[in-house]
Each structure stands twice: as C-alpha cells, then as structure tokens.
Amino acid sequence: MNKYHHLYEQLIQHTNKDNVLVNEPIREHTYTKLGGAADFYITPSTYEEVQAIIRFANQEDVPFTMLGNGSNLIVKDGGIRGIVMNLQQLSSIWREGDKVISQSGARIIDASRFALNEELAGLEFACGIPGSVGGALYMNAGAYGGEIKDALESTIVATKDGELLTLTADQLDLSYRTSNIPDNGYIVLEATFALKSGNKEEIKEMMDDLTYKRESKQPLEYPSCGSVFKRPPGFFAGKLIQDCNLQGKQIGGAEVSTKHAGFIVNKSNATASEYISLIQFVQATVKERFDVQLEREVRIIGDDVEG
C-alpha cells in the first residue's frame, strides 16, 4: 500500500468522498491518453475546499500537483505521488456588463462560445484551444494571432499557502506561452475577461473560420498533447521538423503526425516513455540539422516506472 493511503479518511473531511479517487489512472484525464496512476485524484467543488486541501497537503507534507484538463501535459508511466487536484467541478461562466467571468475548470472553448452567445467579441481566437481556463492562463495560451493576455483583465488565485488573491493581468507577467503562475505556485480559480460588444454573425463567422483551419490542419483523430514545441525565434517548429523528413517517424506507439509535423500523436497505445523519447529524438535531429534548439511547450510531470 502506498505510504499516503492512510490519509484518505482525513482527506474526505475536506470534500465529499465522491470527489476523492484512489489510485486513479491519469491516462483517463489527459489528451495524450498516457500516464500512470495518481495516489489521490481530487475534484473539489468550492474555493473553500481547494484552500482546505492545499493547507492539508502542506500540513501533512504530501506532494501536491495541479492538473488542468490535461491537454498540454504528459504524465510519466509511473504516475504521480500524493494529491492530484483537478478543478473540473468549478466550471461556471457568467456575464457582468461587457465582461465574461469564468471559473478555472471550464474549458476556454466554452468561455469563447459563451461570449459568442452574449454577442461579446475578444475571445474568438480561443474557440479551438482545448485547455481549461486555468490552464490557458497558466501558459498564456494563444492561437491564430490572439492570446489570453489580450483579453484577460484579472484573476482570483489560491496561493501555495491556501490564501486567495485577486491579481490583475499585468501582475501575471504574461508573455509568449508563459506566465509567473507556475513560479509562484498559484492555482487559478477564476478569470475575468474584458470584452467588447460585437455582431454575433461576425463573431460566429470568425470562429467558424478558425475552427475550419484547426480541424483541416491538425491531427485531431488521434490522442495528442497538441503543439509539442514553442515557436523558435525566426522559424516555425513544424517546418523544421518537416524539413528533417521526420513526419511518420515512430517510436513504439508514438508518431510524428503526417498531417502536422508540430504534433506527436499516440497512434497505437503508446507509453509515456515512448512519447517522450520521440520528442527528444525530434529535438536532437533538428538541433543537428539546423542548429536550432526546439523548446517544449508541453509539460512533462510524474515519476518513471520503478525497477
């Protein structure tokens, strides 16, 4: 039995027992369909429960990992020790004036669609981004010329001590695919987007166009973590990979997509180890051929398999 399992009875005092799963396979919660099990997989339903669980983890010195909706993430085959928290139950979205306020567990796609239905412009770019609102802030997600920092006004976060803070967008140091959220150990609970009144048909037309571009160019028929690499200055990652003739390259069940070279897909029951090995092979090949170091956009967390 894992050394943390004696904590179950204490954990369910901080949230409904239905919100606490033991030995939960993380592959069920990631877009890549990779990863071992979490000792505890917890889905709190209130901000107060989030605070209580953070404080409990600190008090008991239990490892704590925040998981979004698993779209930009690879979890290793050995799984994750301690507590893994997912905020999927915190998914409400509402309007106040020309602002859309969304809890962090909602999908950023759903926030974009909500804005469309409210005839508010400014989140169109997010209509195809698969992550949660919290994850979108975490990495300043973007697509087709737009990014979170263009629309975000403020956020409510929980600190690593379990305190709540309200921060402006400027306080998050949002830049290309980064923020200070991970460095500060913040957990995003809520985001306020400042939008503008718009024409619903025009907003929908733009979103339909972006959706078509995404679906026609991206390999959505297989599990993947989305775009694997950040755009290197002066280059496009996908073009560099394509020019190395790596499309179709496989390690185990992982493959460099033949549809979009910037994607690595789980084509046939890949392990996380195979997927990571293919990422490293692509990086080494591009470095050798073009002397360009591809930097990962995707996060890799968790433990290797022991033995």
Side-chain angles (χ1 to χ4, degrees):
M1 176 173 285
N2 188 281
K3 66 178 180 177
Y4 298 114
H5 284 181
H6 70 283
L7 299 175
Y8 175 79
E9 294 298 330
Q10 293 168 268
L11 271 171
I12 61 175
Q13 294 175 23
H14 299 293
T15 185
N16 188 296
K17 68 179 181 180
D18 292 338
N19 299 343
V20 182
L21 301 178
V22 179
N23 279 333
E24 176 68 4
I26 293 293
R27 72 179 69 88
E28 301 295 332
H29 305 283
T30 63
Y31 274 56
T32 54
K33 301 302 178 188
L34 303 171
D39 293 338
F40 296 108
Y41 186 81
I42 302 180
T43 53
S45 53
T46 67
Y47 297 172
E48 291 77 17
E49 288 181 4
V50 173
Q51 292 175 274
I53 293 163
I54 293 170
R55 288 168 177 157
F56 173 78
N58 288 337
Q59 174 189 323
E60 298 293 331
D61 197 26
V62 179
F64 178 92
T65 302
M66 189 65 218
L67 189 75
N69 73 344
S71 63
N72 195 245
L73 185 73
I74 297 168
V75 177
K76 292 182 179 181
D77 299 310
I80 305 176
R81 304 290 65 80
I83 293 170
V84 173
M85 183 185 286
N86 180 292
L87 301 182
Q88 63 193 38
Q89 293 205 65
L90 298 174
S91 59
S92 297
I93 305 171
W94 64 97
R95 175 179 182 167
E96 292 182 7
D98 283 347
K99 298 174 184 178
V100 166
I101 303 172
S102 174
Q103 292 184 312
S104 65
R107 300 187 308 162
I108 190 67
I109 288 174
D110 291 334
S112 178
R113 290 172 179 165
F114 179 89
L116 164 66
N117 289 331
E118 296 292 321
E119 301 185 33
L120 293 171
L123 277 179
E124 294 90 334
F125 72 90
C127 68
I129 297 174
S132 66
V133 168
L137 268 65
Y138 183 98
M139 64 172 294
N140 186 31
Y144 300 109
E147 54 187 353
I148 288 297
K149 77 172 188 176
D150 299 333
L152 185 69
E153 179 177 276
S154 63
T155 180
I156 296 174
V157 301
T159 70
K160 51 191 173 186
D161 296 319
E163 302 301 319
L164 297 190
L165 295 178
T166 298
L167 304 172
T168 65
D170 289 342
Q171 291 175 286
L172 298 179
D173 297 333
L174 299 168
S175 58
Y176 178 64
R177 301 300 178 267
T178 62
S179 72
N180 64 23
I181 291 170
D183 289 343
N184 289 318
Y186 294 149
I187 293 173
V188 177
L189 298 179
E190 190 176 294
T192 297
F193 298 102
L195 307 179
K196 296 179 181 179
S197 294
N199 179 283
K200 187 172 185 179
E201 289 307 311
E202 291 177 1
I203 297 170
K204 184 176 186 303
E205 186 176 342
M206 180 180 290
M207 290 172 65
D208 287 346
D209 179 56
L210 296 180
T211 299
Y212 171 76
K213 287 178 179 176
R214 174 173 176 264
E215 291 178 349
S216 62
K217 293 179 181 178
Q218 297 182 11
L220 304 178
E221 64 272 26
Y222 293 111
S224 83
C225 62
S227 183
V228 177
F229 304 105
K230 296 180 180 180
R231 186 178 64 243
F235 298 93
F236 290 99
K239 180 70 164 58
L240 291 170
I241 296 165
Q242 189 175 338
D243 289 346
C244 288
N245 297 313
L246 288 177
Q247 285 183 279
K249 167 67 179 175
Q250 286 188 237
I251 293 180
E255 179 187 81
V256 178
S257 170
T258 56
K259 190 172 183 180
H260 190 310
F263 284 64
I264 291 176
V265 296
N266 180 355
K267 192 170 184 181
S268 179
N269 298 314
T271 64
S273 177
E274 291 167 349
Y275 203 97
I276 293 166
S277 293
L278 187 53
I279 290 173
Q280 293 168 341
F281 180 85
V282 169
Q283 288 174 309
T285 304
V286 170
K287 177 67 174 174
E288 181 182 353
R289 174 88 183 270
F290 294 107
D291 196 28
V292 175
Q293 182 61 52
L294 292 180
E295 186 181 345
R296 279 189 288 103
E297 183 174 304
V298 63
R299 293 169 60 214
I300 298 175
I301 63 173
D303 295 347
D304 292 311
V305 176
E306 295 180 3

